[in-house]
Amino acid sequence: MEKKPVIKGYIRENGSVGVRNYVALIPVDDLSNSAAIGVSKLIRGTVAIPHPYGRLQFGKDLDLLFHVLSGTGANPNVAGAIVIGIEENWANKVANKIAETGKPVEVFPIEGNGDLRVIEKASRKAKEMVQEASEKQRTEVDLSSLVISIKCGESDTTSGLASNPATGYAVDKLIDYGATVLFGETSELTGAEDIVASRIPDPALREKFMKIYKEYVDFIESQGVDLLGSQPTEGNIKGGLSTIEEKALGNIQKLGTKPITCVLDYLDLLEKSSSRLCFVNTSSAAAEAVTLFAAKGSVLHLFTTGQGNVVGHPIIPVVKISANPKTVAIMSEHIDVDVSDLLQLKVSLREAGERIFNYTIRVANGRLTSAEVLQHDEFSPIKLYISA
Amino acid sequence: MPHFLIHNKNDNVGVAITDIKAGEEVEGAYIEDMAKGPKIKAINDIPLGHKIALNNLKQGDTVIKYGRPIGSAIKEIKIGEHVHVHNIRSNRWGKWRKSQ
């Protein structure tokens, strides 16, 4: 193997490694978005993470929202977090989870204060946190400290032919160097779920995966609708994908060849660990999946696209990879890694895979992705069912 | 350069890697070893990324890509024809399966 690559990342209080250094402003509920956005406008270096949920959710759905909000604050790309909520209790729940990482966290409740008082107090605190964070230095670490996630979106047949297998090459290499790689898209494994299952050596985990998969698809089918047009999407169909099976077989090309040694349902935490390829139960919607991966601890996302999905995330860089020569030409501002020459057979799979791997290292070292520069800050918690 | 690629030797569809015009003589390649594939006359325009039939298929025949079933023909498909949602359907999801 070549000389072990190293990156420069931010080592957090609990030893986890981030590749960005944000102060996050986390609204616990939709009513707190305005105050969080207010602070972000006053204080450079902060990122507000608005979303439409957090009122009268209950049960597993509420647990999942807390999991996503606290996981986002706990993400190693975050140096410190400010949690704003209409009610203090719920805000404390999220904040206490984030505080377990050892990073600075503060709570500002809106009831009893009003937006303007919260914005003032939170801004003063955010100012301190940003100045504190600005002194954190990037430190040399090896790739085994990284958690990376992968997903495809607006896929077409070029994804299955070129950008996904090339990403699979990079995934194998990242895992060889000790990184952890998360993948999901539960419904989009339909037609290839048996292949995924066969790559899970542990029988109990394999069973857990099949149970998660089956429940997901049973729910979709229980709605009694024809999913054609939703899955594959109109964009998929325009790009030449005809059926869910075809999409799934293209999708799994990006998983590389390593065994799947970890299966996480919605609320399961990623244990700190050695290198692994890990299934995470997610929807296949781009923003929802990336949001959940980030909440599980992913610090960098590799996203392949055929027809041109533009998704980003407020705190993790999303690297766009495409092999469709038309998309690369027309939507060039969104594409970070062009592997259309692999589709045209001008380079080998290895060369295209190395290109993705090398770009991943550059982004981990601080190079901004197209989605970051274009301010694609999609944050979309998965909601499981109706609110009370 | 080939006009379309084939994932697996057992596949009965290939994928256009360039826009193909109706009537054009096109040549395929197998992606696994880059061996030359069949030469076919395209019946329809086939846009980049869309599938071309490598064999004649009868209604109900399984469509194979990646060496695996990706659906079934819902009408007769001729070699060189554009293969897409108008003439194949998922075996797993959708109204077509439910009405069977």
Side-chain angles (χ1 to χ4, degrees):
Chain A
M1 205 181 277
E2 65 202 17
K3 188 169 165 282
K4 209 170 183 182
V6 289
I7 61 146
K8 284 189 160 187
Y10 298 96
I11 303 175
R12 299 301 174 197
E13 291 78 355
N14 61 358
S16 61
V17 172
V19 299
R20 295 293 184 268
N21 194 40
Y22 295 118
V23 170
L25 307 166
I26 302 178
V28 176
D29 49 74
D30 46 4
L31 303 173
S32 306
N33 289 343
S34 293
I37 292 166
V39 176
S40 74
K41 287 188 174 158
L42 290 172
I43 308 299
R44 176 185 293 172
T46 59
V47 185
I49 304 178
H51 60 87
Y53 301 137
R55 299 301 292 159
L56 290 170
Q57 285 177 256
F58 61 97
K60 192 176 170 190
D61 186 51
L62 179 60
D63 292 342
L64 181 57
L65 180 71
F66 282 148
H67 176 81
V68 168
L69 296 178
S70 56
T72 304
N75 186 288
N77 286 355
V78 172
I82 284 174
V83 180
I84 300 173
I86 187 81
E87 293 161 350
E88 189 162 9
N89 254 352
W90 277 25
N92 279 332
K93 276 192 192 182
V94 172
N96 290 342
K97 273 282 170 206
I98 299 171
E100 286 173 15
T101 61
K103 72 179 73 173
V105 186
E106 293 282 337
V107 169
F108 295 93
I110 293 175
E111 271 182 12
N113 287 295
D115 271 15
L116 297 184
R117 249 179 229 103
V118 162
I119 290 170
E120 192 205 330
K121 288 187 203 166
S123 294
R124 289 183 185 280
K125 193 69 211 176
K127 172 180 174 284
E128 280 174 32
M129 279 189 188
V130 168
Q131 287 182 299
E132 189 77 17
S134 70
E135 287 194 312
K136 293 208 189 305
Q137 302 295 314
R138 285 184 179 268
T139 312
E140 213 163 84
V141 292
D142 74 37
L143 291 186
S144 64
S145 49
L146 288 188
V147 180
I148 287 174
S149 48
I150 53 172
K151 184 186 175 337
C152 44
E154 287 300 286
S155 300
D156 59 24
T157 52
T158 70
S159 309
L161 278 170
S163 59
N164 283 350
T167 300
Y169 173 95
V171 164
D172 275 353
K173 190 162 173 174
L174 286 161
I175 292 175
D176 278 338
Y177 283 119
T180 292
V181 177
L182 312 180
F183 74 98
E185 307 173 77
T186 309
S187 73
E188 287 189 4
L189 300 175
T190 298
E193 76 278 13
D194 57 324
I195 300 177
V196 174
S198 72
R199 287 181 52 183
I200 307 174
D202 182 272
L205 284 183
R206 196 183 317 132
E207 199 175 312
K208 181 178 176 185
F209 166 76
M210 282 310 294
K211 186 165 177 282
I212 289 171
Y213 169 77
K214 196 171 175 315
E215 280 174 7
Y216 205 113
V217 173
D218 283 352
F219 171 77
I220 290 171
E221 296 196 336
S222 75
Q223 300 304 297
V225 292
D226 185 352
L227 273 166
L228 199 61
S230 291
Q231 190 57 291
T233 65
E234 291 294 340
N236 297 149
I237 291 170
K238 184 168 170 275
L241 289 172
S242 311
T243 67
I244 184 66
E245 298 96 311
E246 182 183 14
K247 186 174 176 180
L249 291 164
N251 177 352
I252 63 165
Q253 304 298 313
K254 70 180 183 292
L255 304 188
T257 61
K258 305 293 177 189
I260 298 159
T261 53
C262 148
V263 172
L264 301 183
D265 206 347
Y266 288 128
L267 298 174
D268 296 337
L269 294 171
L270 178 67
E271 282 167 37
K272 220 172 161 179
S273 81
S274 51
S275 100
R276 48 171 72 185
L277 179 60
C278 189
F279 167 79
V280 178
N281 187 17
T282 69
S283 92
S284 303
E288 290 185 6
V290 176
T291 296
L292 192 59
F293 291 138
K296 300 278 186 201
S298 166
V299 298
L300 189 158
H301 186 89
L302 302 180
F303 194 99
T304 54
T305 187
Q307 296 286 298
N309 188 309
V310 297
V311 70
H313 185 274
I315 64 154
I316 75 169
V318 175
V319 176
K320 290 292 155 40
I321 303 153
S322 183
N324 185 318
K326 292 178 184 172
T327 302
V328 167
I330 294 165
M331 298 178 68
S332 61
E333 74 271 29
H334 293 283
I335 307 301
D336 297 294
V337 188
D338 169 3
V339 289
S340 57
D341 50 356
L342 174 60
L343 183 78
Q344 293 150 348
L345 309 173
K346 290 176 189 155
V347 294
S348 66
L349 181 68
R350 183 172 184 278
E351 285 170 289
E354 288 289 338
R355 196 182 297 157
I356 295 169
F357 178 82
N358 291 334
Y359 201 88
T360 305
I361 302 287
R362 287 167 69 190
V363 170
N365 280 326
R367 180 184 165 86
L368 296 175
T369 64
S370 300
E372 286 178 292
V373 177
L374 295 170
Q375 305 194 69
H376 267 283
D377 293 337
E378 285 80 33
F379 180 79
S380 212
I382 292 174
K383 195 167 190 298
L384 296 178
Y385 44 78
I386 55 170
S387 304
Chain B
M1 193 180 108
H3 302 86
F4 61 90
L5 294 178
I6 308 162
H7 285 280
N8 183 285
K9 293 265 174 348
N10 297 319
D11 291 0
N12 51 25
V13 291
V15 181
I17 54 169
T18 180
D19 289 328
I20 292 173
K21 292 279 161 233
E24 205 179 335
E25 283 278 349
V26 288
E27 196 171 339
Y30 290 95
I31 203 166
E32 284 166 326
D33 55 5
M34 293 319 296
K36 279 198 173 177
K39 262 190 196 161
I40 290 173
K41 189 168 179 169
I43 292 179
N44 323 91
D45 285 352
I46 301 170
L48 188 160
H50 286 234
K51 291 177 288 301
I52 181 168
L54 308 180
N55 304 120
N56 292 318
L57 296 174
K58 295 192 296 291
Q59 184 180 344
D61 278 357
T62 300
V63 183
I64 309 281
K65 190 182 169 196
Y66 298 97
R68 301 256 307 190
I70 62 160
S72 299
I74 53 169
K75 53 178 79 158
E76 191 189 352
I77 300 172
K78 288 204 154 42
I79 186 166
E81 203 173 325
H82 181 208
V83 176
H84 201 24
V85 290
H86 63 286
N87 54 15
I88 72 169
R89 285 287 187 279
S90 169
N91 292 332
R92 300 288 288 269
W93 283 6
K95 272 180 195 154
W96 181 77
R97 186 195 68 152
K98 294 203 156 66
S99 67
Q100 290 302 292

